[in-house]
Amino acid sequence: MISNSKNMFEFRSKGSGAFLMQLLKLDGPLLFLISLISLIGVFVLYSASNESLEVLSRQLLRILIAFTALIITSQLSIDFIRRISPWGFFSGLLLLLLVLFSGDIGQGAQRWLNLGVRFQPSEVMKLAVPMMVAWYLYDKKIPPTGKQMLIIFILILMPSFLIAKQPDLGTSILVFTAGMLVVFLSGIHFRYIIILIFLAFPSSLLLWKFMAEYQKQRVMTLLNPGSDPLGAGYNIIQSKIAIGSGGLFGKGWTNGSQVQLEFLPEKSTDFIFAVIGEEFGLLGLLTILLIYILIIARGLFIASQATDLYSRLLAGSISLTFFVYVFVNAAMVIGLMPIVGVPLPLISYGGTSMVTLMIGFGILMSINSNRKLLST
Amino acid sequence: MSENRYIKDHAHEKSLFMSRIIISSLVGLFFIFVIIIRLVQLQIVEYDFFNQKAQGNRINLKATLPPRGSIFDRNGKVLAENITAFQLEIIPEQVEDLDRSLERLLSLKLIDQSQIKAIKQQIKNSQKFKSIRLRSNLSDQEIAIFAANRATFSGIELQPRLVRNYPQKEFTSHVVGYVGSISKQDQSRLNRSLYDPNEKTGKTGTELFNEITLHGEPGYYQFIANSRGRQIPINPTDINSNILQNKPATAGSNIFLSIDLDLQILATQLLDNRRGSVVAINPNNGEVLALVSSPSFNPNIFNNNLTSNAYDELQKNTNQPLFNRAVLGTYSPGSTIKPILGLAALQLGVVNLTHRRLCKGHYSLPGNTHRYRDWLATGHGSVNLHNAIAQSCDVFFYEISGQIGIDRMHNYLDQFGLGQKTNIELTGERVGLIPSTLWKKTNFSKNEDKTWFPGETVIASIGQGYMLATPLQLANATAALATRGKRFKPTLLSAIEDPLSKIKIKSEPQQLNQIKVDSVTYWEEIISAMHNVMQGSGTAKNVGTGASYKMAGKSGTVQVVSVGQEEEYDQENLDERFQDHALFVAFAPLHNPQIAVAVIVENGNSGSRVAAPIAKRIMDQYLGF
C-alpha cells in the first residue's frame, strides 16, 4: 500500500543507522531529543552542584540505568504491556498499602519501600494508573458511559488518596492527572468536563483541609512571597532573582552568582530550571523549552499514529503528563504556582523519577515499533 | 461480531482522539506561552531590578577600622598609644575536637574554667568560619606556652591585634581615662555608623571627651560572599574585581594635652595615695599643667579579660580610686576664699586698708548668744584685712560678713568662676555651689527653709556651710587672683595633630570675663597678704620662708563634722574619716605668675601643714628651683 512503500523508501534513504534503530525497536527522533536534554542536564547539574564530580558520576550512572530501562521496555510488545497492566496496577496498590504500614521515613514522609533497593511505589503509579485506565477502556466503546466513568474514578482516586496520605501531594496530583488525561483523551463529553471543573472548586476546598500546614504555607507564600523573605518565601525570591539576573544571554556556565554562592536553594533538584535561567539566560530557557516541546510533539505524533485504543490513550497520557511535569516545575520556579516538589524531568538530580520517565518513553517506542510492524 | 464493532468504531474513535490531541496541544501551547511571557518579564523587563538584587546578595561590605589617635603630654611624652598584643583566637570550623581543645587550653592555664560556657555559647551563635576571641593581651610567658604546644592545636591561633596601652599607668589615669567595649549607653551617644560592635570606645577622661577626634573614620572594602557570608576569593583578572570598591579608613588624630607629665607624676607622688587632689594651672592661658586625683588606678588592667573582677574591686574600694576628685569632688572651700571676700570688701568699701577689728576668738550676732568660733581659741587681737588673710582670722570675716551680705559674696565668688562649670575637656564635671538668697528660695521646698538667716552669712564668710567647690574651680579662681583678674577657661588641650601630615593645630587660650576693681592697689593688697601667708608671718610661713622666689598662698582647714558649742576639736580621738580636710591654694612668682595650684588632702587636718608643702614642691619643680 501507499504507506508501506513510503516507509520502505524512508528505510532505504536512512541507511544503516536507521536500520539499527528499527532492529532495536527504538525511535530515532525521540531517542535523539531525550539524549540531548539529558546531556544538557549533565552540564547544568555539574554547575549546579558546584562542580562536584561525585554528583556528576552518580547522575551519569542513573542515566545509564534509566536508558537501559528504556531499551528493555521498548523491546516488549505493546500487547504484553497491555496484558500486564492490571497486574502492575494492583501490585502497585498493594505496595502503597505496605508503605502506609511499614515504609521507611524519608524527608518527613513515608514514601520509600525497602525491597533490597529502596524505591517509591508512588513512582510506579505514575505509569500504572494511566495503563490501568487505558486497559479498562481498551475494549469499550468510547466515549465511556457514566457507570464506566465511576469505575475509572475509583481506580484513579484509590492510589491518589494513598499517595496523598504519605503525604506526597505533588506525586498524588501527578498520578491523578495522568489518569484523568486518559479520561480526557477517551473523548468524554465536554459537559462532563464542565461538571468536573465545577466540582474542582469544592474539592479544592476539601484539598485545602487535607493539606499539611507547610503546604498551606507554600500556597500563601506564592500569593505574597515578600511576607516572609527569610522563611517560606526565600526559595521563590531567590529563584526569581537568579532567573531575572540571568537576562537574555545569562552569566555563563558555572558563573551564576546565585547558584555558585548558594543563594539559590535546592539548586540541583527542584530549582535547576533557575540555574539554567541564570547561567544561560532567556535564550537558554527557550532552547530547553523547545526541546521539551519537540519531545512532547513526537510523543503526541506516536499517539496519533497508534493502531489501537490502549496504545493511543497511553501514549497520549504519557506525553501530556510529561508536559505537565515541565509546566509545573517551570511555573513553580518562576513563581506562578506554589512549590509542590516536582523535579524538572530528565535534568533534575535524582533517581527514581528518571527511571519512570524512561520506562514511559520505552512504552512510547514500543507503541511506535508495533505500529511499524503492523504496517509492514 | 466484535471484530465488526472494532472496525465500525475505528474511524470515529480516531477522529475523536485526534480532536482531543489538538485541544491538548493548543492548551499546552497556551501554557508554554504564559511561561515565556513570564520569563520575558523577569529576564528582560525587570532584568535591572533582579541583577541589582543578585549583586546585593553577593557583595558584602566589611569595615576597616581606623587606628585610634595617640595622646601625649605637652612635651610629646606618650600617655596613650596603640600597641600590638597577641590574642588567642579560634576558628570553629577548623577545630577537630572542640571540647578536648578547650580542656587542653584550660590545663595550660590559657583560659579560665569560668570562660568555657560563654565560649561555647559564642561559637554556637556565630558563623563557623569566623574567628572568635578566646583571650586578649597574652603575656610573653603565655605566648611561649602556647607556641610550644601550637602543633597540637588546629584552628586555634595567636593573632596580633592593636590594644590601647597607657605607659604612665596610675599617673595619668584620671586625665587620660581609658577605653572599653561599647555598652548600651555608649550606643545611644555614638554615631553607630562609624563603629564596629567589637570596637572599643572612650569610657572616661580625654579618651571619652575627645572620642570623635581620637576615633577617626572607618573605611570599608567590598567582597564577594556566599549565602552564609563567607568571603569567596576572587581572581583580580575577573571582570567582577573592578566592581568592588574600597575606601581606606581615616586614622584618628593625635592629641597633645597641656599636662606636664613630670609635674603630674610629682603631684601624684606627693599625695602618696592619700585621698585628695592637686590641680595646677598656667594662669596666663588656662592650660592645666597637672590634674591629679588620688588614689588612682592602672587603666591597663581593663585590657585583660582575665582580670574582669579587678574593676569590681576598684569600685568597691572605699577610697574610690575610680572617682576623679579634681573635677567631680566638691569640698567646702573654707578659708581659701578669704582673699576673694577681702577683695570684695575693699571694692565695696566695707573696709579700707587701715580698718581694724578686735578678735577675741569668737563672734556672736547682735542679740544672739550663739558663739561662732575662731580657729584660734585665744583670738588674734586687733587685726586689719592684711592680718586677717595672713593669719586667717575668722572673726574679722564674721564681723564684716553682714555688711557684705550673702548676695554680694555670691556675686564676687561667681566672678571668679566658683559655682559654675569650668567647661574643661572632661565629662561629668560638677558645678559646686555658691549659695545666695535666691538659691535658697528656689531650692528648698518648705517655706520655713526658704529664708536666708544671718548666721548662714557668717559661716559662708569662711567658706563653710552650703558652699562647695571642686579642686579645679579653686585652682582656676587662684589663677584669676594671680593675673589680677584676667581669666581663662581652664583647658587640657594643647594641640591636635594630624597623624599623616604631622600638622599640629595649637589650641588657642580662651579668655573669659576680666574681674574689675576700682584700684590696682586692692589686688596688690590682697596678694601681699597671701604672700605674707607663705613668706612672712602667715599660717604657712614655715613652708615658703627661705625660697628663692616669691610666692602667694592661702590655707584652708575645713570641718568634716561640726564641733559642739562647748566641745574642743580633738584630732587624736576623731576617726580618720571625720578629721578636717586640708586645703591650700597658691601661685608663683608673685609679680609674673606662671603657675597656680590648688591642693586638697581629705582628712589631712591642716591646710598649712599638710597641703601647703605639696603646693610649694609643685611650684618649685615647675619654676625650676
Side-chain angles (χ1 to χ4, degrees):
Chain A
M1 302 106 88
I2 296 164
S3 66
N4 186 15
S5 64
K6 194 182 163 206
N7 271 345
M8 292 300 285
F9 177 73
E10 279 176 7
F11 174 58
R12 276 193 209 100
S13 67
K14 276 179 188 164
S16 59
F19 177 72
L20 187 70
M21 283 289 172
Q22 201 157 22
L23 200 70
L24 288 173
K25 301 183 180 176
L26 297 174
D27 178 52
L30 196 54
L31 192 67
F32 169 74
L33 291 167
I34 293 168
S35 305
L36 182 63
I37 201 108
S38 301
L39 188 70
I40 292 172
V42 166
F43 277 92
V44 173
L45 186 65
Y46 180 67
S47 174
S49 66
N50 294 57
E51 306 172 25
S52 159
L53 286 173
E54 197 204 333
V55 167
L56 194 69
S57 57
R58 279 163 73 175
Q59 182 75 350
L60 283 171
L61 182 69
R62 283 198 185 108
I63 290 174
L64 197 71
I65 294 169
F67 269 93
T68 311
L70 182 150
I71 290 167
I72 292 171
T73 313
S74 65
Q75 304 310 307
L76 306 172
S77 86
I78 194 66
D79 284 330
F80 174 73
I81 294 172
R82 188 188 68 237
R83 281 199 304 274
I84 63 160
S85 292
W87 295 100
F89 177 80
F90 284 111
S91 48
L93 208 57
L94 198 69
L95 290 175
L96 278 180
L97 284 167
L98 267 175
V99 165
L100 198 63
F101 294 115
S102 68
D104 279 3
I105 294 186
Q107 296 175 349
Q110 284 186 320
R111 298 177 188 175
W112 301 83
L113 199 62
N114 207 337
L115 299 172
V117 285
R118 271 154 53 99
F119 87 112
Q120 287 174 273
S122 55
E123 277 297 323
V124 175
M125 293 318 254
K126 283 180 182 174
L127 284 172
V129 166
M131 280 161 75
M132 181 67 199
V133 179
W135 176 86
Y136 177 76
L137 288 170
Y138 169 64
D139 53 359
K140 307 281 185 305
K141 185 177 184 292
I142 62 166
T145 65
K147 187 185 155 200
Q148 287 164 348
M149 272 177 54
L150 194 69
I151 292 168
I152 292 169
F153 278 135
I154 291 167
L155 289 175
I156 295 172
L157 284 173
M158 274 193 303
S160 303
F161 175 76
L162 286 174
I163 295 166
K165 231 179 122 60
Q166 283 180 352
D168 184 357
L169 200 64
T171 309
S172 170
I173 289 170
L174 289 175
V175 166
F176 179 78
T177 309
M180 290 309 284
L181 281 170
V182 179
V183 177
F184 172 75
L185 292 172
S186 72
I188 57 160
H189 204 279
F190 275 103
R191 67 165 173 267
Y192 289 120
I193 296 173
I194 290 164
I195 289 168
L196 277 176
I197 290 170
F198 271 100
L199 277 176
F201 286 102
S203 61
S204 67
L205 284 177
L206 201 71
L207 194 68
W208 181 259
K209 281 188 94 174
F210 238 101
M211 283 198 282
E213 203 46 53
Y214 78 97
Q215 289 166 329
K216 287 182 188 172
Q217 186 144 34
R218 282 173 179 176
V219 176
M220 295 313 289
T221 300
L222 176 84
L223 300 175
N224 183 15
S227 67
D228 185 12
L230 291 175
Y234 181 81
N235 291 11
I236 289 182
I237 290 171
Q238 294 301 337
S239 78
K240 275 162 70 180
I241 292 173
I243 293 172
S245 65
L248 186 58
F249 300 105
K251 298 174 186 173
W253 186 50
T254 71
N255 270 333
S257 64
Q258 287 287 105
V259 178
Q260 304 304 330
L261 303 175
E262 295 168 49
F263 289 100
L264 184 68
E266 297 177 55
K267 56 201 164 64
S268 299
T269 54
D270 291 356
F271 282 85
I272 204 159
F273 190 75
V275 177
I276 302 167
E278 187 181 24
E279 299 196 343
F280 302 99
L282 179 61
L283 293 179
L285 287 178
L286 290 180
T287 308
I288 295 289
L289 287 176
L290 180 68
I291 298 171
Y292 279 130
I293 289 168
L294 289 175
I295 290 174
I296 294 154
R298 182 69 190 169
L300 292 177
F301 174 75
I302 288 171
S304 70
Q305 298 297 305
T307 49
D308 64 298
L309 187 57
Y310 176 81
S311 304
R312 215 175 274 150
L313 292 177
L314 186 56
S317 169
I318 287 172
S319 307
L320 292 178
T321 309
F322 187 77
F323 170 80
V324 171
Y325 291 168
V326 175
F327 174 77
V328 169
N329 180 268
M332 125 193 152
V333 171
I334 60 182
L336 291 179
M337 267 183 68
I339 297 168
V340 283
V342 173
L344 188 64
L346 303 178
I347 294 183
S348 282
Y349 182 64
T352 333
S353 69
M354 181 173 265
V355 174
T356 317
L357 283 167
M358 289 300 198
I359 291 173
F361 288 122
I363 293 172
L364 278 180
M365 290 187 189
S366 166
I367 291 167
N368 195 36
S369 58
N370 180 60
R371 185 250 315 172
K372 285 181 181 171
L373 209 68
L374 282 179
S375 56
T376 37
Chain B
M1 188 62 191
S2 72
E3 182 82 343
N4 192 28
R5 184 183 67 94
Y6 184 76
I7 291 168
K8 201 183 87 184
D9 289 341
H10 187 76
H12 170 67
E13 229 173 45
K14 185 157 183 175
S15 72
L16 188 59
F17 180 76
M18 283 310 288
S19 73
R20 287 298 153 103
I21 290 289
I22 289 163
I23 290 167
S24 309
S25 302
L26 291 176
V27 171
L29 284 175
F30 170 75
F31 279 144
I32 292 288
F33 181 69
V34 169
I35 283 180
I36 291 172
I37 294 286
R38 174 68 164 178
L39 289 177
V40 169
Q41 182 206 349
L42 292 176
Q43 299 191 286
I44 308 293
V45 181
E46 295 179 16
Y47 167 74
D48 288 334
F49 171 76
F50 285 114
N51 192 41
Q52 259 185 2
K53 285 264 185 186
Q55 296 288 20
N57 261 350
R58 74 194 185 108
I59 294 179
N60 262 16
L61 206 65
K62 197 167 164 68
T64 45
L65 301 180
R68 195 174 177 87
S70 298
I71 302 174
F72 302 97
D73 91 331
R74 61 185 304 118
N75 301 314
K77 291 177 185 159
V78 178
L79 308 183
E81 62 188 342
N82 304 317
I83 58 165
T84 307
F86 282 91
Q87 64 180 37
L88 204 58
E89 293 182 4
I90 185 170
I91 301 172
E93 68 172 3
Q94 295 175 5
V95 178
E96 275 165 25
D97 184 343
L98 180 67
D99 287 331
R100 227 176 66 87
S101 298
L102 291 180
E103 236 165 67
R104 298 217 32 241
L105 288 175
L106 197 63
S107 67
L108 294 172
K109 294 201 167 65
L110 290 171
I111 53 171
D112 197 73
Q113 179 71 48
S114 59
Q115 281 181 281
I116 286 186
K117 216 177 141 189
I119 290 171
K120 283 189 178 169
Q121 190 62 37
Q122 209 184 347
I123 288 173
K124 220 173 119 186
N125 291 343
S126 56
Q127 289 155 319
K128 297 286 165 273
F129 54 89
K130 282 206 170 153
S131 192
I132 292 169
R133 183 180 66 206
L134 294 174
R135 265 288 311 280
S136 55
N137 228 19
L138 266 73
S139 71
D140 290 345
Q141 198 195 348
E142 287 171 325
I143 290 169
I145 289 173
F146 181 78
N149 292 281
R150 182 195 212 137
T152 60
F153 288 105
S154 58
I156 298 174
E157 289 286 352
L158 283 172
Q159 295 290 351
R161 293 280 187 250
L162 286 182
V163 296
R164 202 69 164 160
N165 181 47
Y166 304 99
Q168 308 307 331
K169 296 177 184 145
E170 286 85 354
F171 292 124
T172 55
S173 55
H174 285 294
V175 181
V176 173
Y178 57 92
V179 294
S181 302
I182 297 170
S183 68
K184 278 247 165 65
Q185 291 107 300
D186 292 332
Q187 281 179 357
S188 59
R189 173 171 60 79
L190 299 170
N191 178 353
R192 288 175 69 180
S193 65
L194 297 180
Y195 285 83
D196 180 274
N198 295 319
E199 228 179 318
K200 304 232 163 149
T201 183
K203 291 289 180 181
T204 61
T206 301
E207 293 273 33
L208 171 63
F209 193 91
N210 295 294
E211 174 65 31
I212 294 168
T213 312
L214 290 166
H215 181 259
E217 255 184 66
Y220 62 82
Y221 69 93
Q222 292 183 324
F223 63 93
I224 304 290
N226 71 4
S227 61
R228 287 177 294 282
R230 184 200 293 270
Q231 184 167 356
I232 303 297
I234 184 165
N235 187 340
T237 57
D238 192 317
I239 45 154
N240 286 326
S241 63
N242 53 24
I243 60 166
L244 299 176
Q245 295 175 346
N246 290 301
K247 179 176 168 270
T250 311
S253 299
N254 296 329
I255 288 181
F256 285 77
L257 292 181
S258 58
I259 294 291
D260 181 318
L261 181 61
D262 296 336
L263 208 61
Q264 179 84 8
I265 291 173
L266 176 73
T268 311
Q269 288 167 340
L270 289 170
L271 282 172
D272 191 26
N273 274 326
R274 278 177 294 179
R275 293 181 304 280
S277 174
V278 172
V279 178
I281 291 182
N282 181 343
N284 303 303
N285 55 18
E287 287 187 350
V288 175
L289 302 169
L291 188 138
V292 172
S293 174
S294 177
S296 188
F297 61 95
N298 180 356
N300 293 320
I301 59 165
F302 300 122
N303 273 337
N304 197 335
N305 46 3
L306 259 194
T307 54
S308 57
N309 37 15
Y311 183 79
D312 295 338
E313 262 169 45
L314 285 172
Q315 272 203 318
K316 279 182 204 145
N317 188 326
T318 49
N319 287 336
Q320 293 177 284
L322 293 172
F323 183 67
N324 187 353
R325 292 173 161 81
V327 292
L328 291 165
T330 53
Y331 302 88
S332 296
S335 303
T336 58
I337 61 156
K338 281 176 183 167
I340 298 170
L341 294 184
L343 189 75
L346 289 172
Q347 168 67 14
L348 294 167
V350 172
V351 294
N352 59 37
L353 299 181
T354 55
H355 184 97
R356 284 185 170 273
R357 298 270 169 144
L358 180 66
C359 168
K360 298 174 291 183
H362 56 84
Y363 167 79
S364 294
L365 283 166
N368 198 317
T369 57
H370 183 91
R371 284 186 167 187
Y372 297 93
R373 292 197 257 191
D374 195 284
W375 68 270
L376 193 65
T378 54
H380 293 90
S382 172
V383 288
N384 60 8
L385 178 62
H386 184 94
N387 301 135
I389 290 172
Q391 306 296 328
S392 199
C393 172
D394 294 335
V395 170
F396 183 90
F397 284 93
Y398 293 152
E399 293 212 344
I400 64 169
S401 65
Q403 283 170 274
I404 302 175
I406 186 63
D407 287 334
R408 294 203 290 189
M409 275 187 205
H410 175 274
N411 174 28
Y412 278 85
L413 294 168
D414 181 75
Q415 286 187 54
F416 279 81
L418 296 169
Q420 9 173 321
K421 286 194 177 182
T422 65
N423 294 321
I424 194 165
E425 297 86 353
L426 290 171
T427 307
E429 183 193 4
R430 290 287 151 80
V431 188
L433 174 60
I434 303 300
S436 65
T437 52
L438 180 69
W439 167 80
K440 209 175 175 198
K441 201 181 254 174
T442 51
N443 281 275
F444 284 81
S445 50
K446 284 186 188 165
N447 265 335
E448 58 265 38
D449 292 335
K450 286 175 182 281
T451 322
W452 185 268
F453 296 105
E456 292 172 333
T457 309
V458 173
I459 55 167
S461 71
I462 59 158
Q464 304 246 26
Y466 300 115
M467 208 176 284
L468 291 169
T470 66
L472 176 66
Q473 285 174 330
L474 291 179
N476 193 33
T478 309
L481 279 169
T483 54
R484 281 78 171 163
K486 194 174 177 184
R487 291 185 65 227
F488 292 91
K489 172 182 128 33
T491 178
L492 277 169
L493 232 55
S494 171
I496 291 174
E497 181 189 59
D498 183 289
L500 289 178
S501 63
K502 297 286 172 196
I503 294 171
K504 267 194 200 176
I505 299 166
K506 293 279 289 175
S507 61
E508 290 298 314
Q510 200 178 323
Q511 200 178 339
L512 304 175
N513 64 303
Q514 168 81 37
I515 301 161
K516 290 200 181 79
V517 291
D518 291 343
S519 166
V520 185
T521 55
Y522 297 165
W523 286 111
E524 296 308 328
E525 174 61 19
I526 299 297
I527 287 167
S528 108
M530 289 175 74
H531 175 53
N532 200 346
V533 169
M534 297 196 78
Q535 291 173 312
S537 55
T539 51
K541 59 178 183 289
N542 294 337
V543 174
T545 308
S548 49
Y549 62 95
K550 288 187 173 177
M551 63 189 91
K554 181 71 197 81
S555 59
T557 301
V558 183
Q559 277 177 203
V560 175
V561 287
S562 53
V563 180
Q565 280 285 293
E566 302 305 325
E567 293 171 52
E568 296 240 334
Y569 175 74
D570 181 357
Q571 183 186 335
E572 308 284 306
N573 291 333
L574 264 176
D575 187 63
E576 195 258 348
R577 289 276 180 165
F578 297 130
Q579 294 179 13
D580 292 348
H581 289 336
L583 278 71
F584 202 79
V585 296
F587 67 86
L590 208 58
H591 296 297
N592 175 26
Q594 297 301 311
I595 180 169
V597 189
V599 177
I600 288 177
V601 179
E602 289 184 20
N603 315 110
N605 274 311
S606 165
S608 51
R609 271 182 287 124
V610 176
I614 294 175
K616 161 79 166 36
R617 288 280 304 277
I618 287 167
M619 293 191 295
D620 283 353
Q621 163 141 336
Y622 187 71
L623 298 171
F625 293 101

